[in-house]
Amino acid sequence: MSEKKETIRCLILGSGPAGFTAAIYAARADLHPVIYQGLQPGGQLTITTEVENYPGYPDGVQGPQMMVDFQKQAERFGTDVRWGLATSVDLSSRPFKVVIDEKDEVFAETLIIATGASARWLGLESEKRLNGFGVSACATCDGFFYKGLDVAVVGGGDTACEEASYLSKLCKKVYLIHRRDELRASKAMQHRVMKASNIEIIWDSVPVEVLGEKTVDGVLLENVKTGEKSRLDIEGFFVAIGHTPNSSIFKGQIDMDANGYIITKPGTTETNIPGVFASGDVQDHVFRQAVTAAGTGCMAAIQAERFLADEE
Ligand code: NDP
């Protein structure tokens, strides 16, 4: 099975803000980091448009360009950036064995997991076609573009309520579309939504088509109880039906919560396995921002460096 064997001081899985920031720090600490970029090189930011909330870019930056900049900075200090997806791992002993693309085995003295999370989508063709043109999975990232306009949020959990209440401060009207007749969100979050005068909850409904040719101009809904269809005029369509952490290959080998988020010791990036650190969205379901991911990537590299230094 194995075509080549090598031992890497600091192996980083994932190439979003967490992975590349970890690489910048690890490379500058002479750990000769290797990054495997994963399925979506550059991570979730490569499917957003303008990023205006990352410090240091006063005029904003396109998400894909920002990730090119992250990569260049990591490479400038000697990071070895490789194509490839980690398909299985063995964390039972060090160096940790990681299999890439189901064939190449590499061994890691320290491992930084920065594999991120993926937004869940409804699976509509129109949702895919208009992604980035009115369809988004992140209100904090894209809400600003809908200032004074009407938008819809889909979902009934904490994320949907949080997104709806964030958008209610910017937008004229926010429709919260939920497939049942009660919200799953915590009472506090529900209360926040109910209090906002410009949020209207549309119960028992699912979107069947996002409307618009080049950009979103509406959504077609179906009432799941009556089968009745109706159209809402909106310009922004936010899907908030949950995220899936990209942690399946670590299942059963590392401590995770019930939703698959890797558990780190509070205030650190340490997992329950010495030498394995987790950063970014794979261990954070609350903040999920590029800047917080970058922050924990930095922490992971510093902790990996100290871990190796303590051993020597
Ligand atoms: P959740 O899984 O809690 O909620 C997802 C929501 O989307 C549910 O209401 C669900 O409906 C709905 N949904 C799922 N699939 C579909 C679909 N195909 N079509 C229509 N609706 C769908 O995810 P969240 O992202 O909201 O939260 C994830 C975790 O993160 C939770 O533990 C949450 O508490 C936590 N969180 C905490 C926050 C905080 O404390 N500030 C902020 C954000 C998240 P249904 O209810 O019918 O299943």
Side-chain angles (χ1 to χ4, degrees):
M1 177 178 169
S2 170
E3 287 174 3
K4 61 179 179 194
K5 281 197 175 194
E6 65 172 320
T7 301
I8 296 163
R9 294 266 288 160
C10 178
L11 175 64
I12 301 165
L13 301 179
S15 55
F20 277 130
T21 305
I24 292 165
Y25 276 79
R28 286 172 53 82
D30 278 345
L31 299 187
H32 307 291
V34 172
I35 280 199
Y36 280 96
Q37 298 188 82
L39 264 191
Q40 189 175 33
Q44 291 185 78
L45 279 173
T46 58
I47 53 163
T48 54
T49 48
E50 185 131 13
V51 178
E52 290 186 329
N53 54 7
Y54 198 89
Y57 289 100
D59 302 318
V61 59
Q62 294 291 309
Q65 180 58 47
M66 183 163 131
M67 294 323 298
V68 169
D69 292 345
F70 266 74
Q71 180 168 345
K72 271 194 202 152
Q73 194 171 351
E75 284 175 332
R76 184 177 146 211
F77 300 108
T79 304
D80 183 349
V81 180
R82 301 180 186 174
W83 297 100
L85 175 72
T87 46
S88 63
V89 293
D90 180 356
L91 305 182
S92 61
S93 61
R94 286 184 63 224
F96 308 111
K97 184 170 96 176
V98 178
V99 179
I100 306 295
D101 294 332
E102 292 177 352
K103 56 181 168 57
D104 298 327
E105 285 179 354
V106 294
F107 291 84
E109 288 175 30
T110 58
L111 177 66
I112 296 179
I113 302 171
T115 46
S118 305
R120 281 192 219 134
W121 297 100
L122 297 164
L124 304 171
E125 184 282 325
S126 51
E127 169 194 58
K128 203 168 175 186
R129 180 172 55 81
L130 291 165
N131 199 325
F133 300 93
V135 173
S136 166
C138 179
T140 326
C141 322
D142 299 327
F144 183 78
F145 304 113
Y146 303 93
K147 226 174 181 174
L149 303 175
D150 293 352
V151 298
V153 177
V154 189
D158 278 329
T159 303
C161 289
E162 200 168 73
E163 305 262 273
S165 80
Y166 176 83
L167 289 166
S168 71
K169 296 182 188 100
L170 298 168
C171 302
K172 191 156 88 186
K173 172 105 190 178
V174 181
Y175 298 98
L176 181 61
I177 302 163
H178 186 37
R179 63 183 177 183
R180 290 188 297 132
D181 59 3
E182 64 176 334
L183 296 171
R184 170 182 298 278
S186 58
K187 287 281 177 272
M189 214 62 99
Q190 292 192 28
H191 188 60
R192 224 197 279 175
V193 164
M194 306 294 180
K195 245 180 28 193
S197 58
N198 60 343
I199 300 180
E200 180 181 334
I201 306 182
I202 303 188
W203 302 104
D204 298 316
S205 296
V206 289
V208 286
E209 191 182 350
V210 190
L211 305 168
E213 208 159 293
K214 293 217 165 79
T215 58
V216 171
D217 60 29
V219 59
L220 189 64
L221 300 179
E222 183 176 311
N223 184 299
V224 292
K225 287 193 172 151
T226 63
E228 204 177 301
K229 292 215 169 85
S230 59
R231 183 197 155 109
L232 275 183
D233 291 331
I234 47 151
E235 285 171 78
F237 182 77
F238 292 86
V239 180
I241 60 170
H243 283 77
T244 308
N246 301 321
S247 62
S248 56
I249 60 167
F250 308 104
K251 210 169 173 186
Q253 301 196 52
I254 199 164
D255 286 353
M256 295 179 183
D257 70 12
N259 296 315
Y261 287 91
I262 294 176
I263 296 172
T264 50
K265 247 187 236 165
T268 78
T269 59
E270 285 164 34
T271 67
N272 63 310
I273 301 175
V276 180
F277 304 90
S279 59
D281 288 11
V282 74
Q283 53 85 56
D284 169 23
H285 64 75
V286 177
F287 300 107
R288 292 199 291 246
Q289 299 300 299
V291 66
T292 50
T296 54
C298 157
M299 288 161 66
I302 291 175
Q303 291 203 279
E305 181 195 358
R306 292 188 183 156
F307 176 85
L308 290 167
D310 284 348
E311 272 186 339
E312 278 158 14

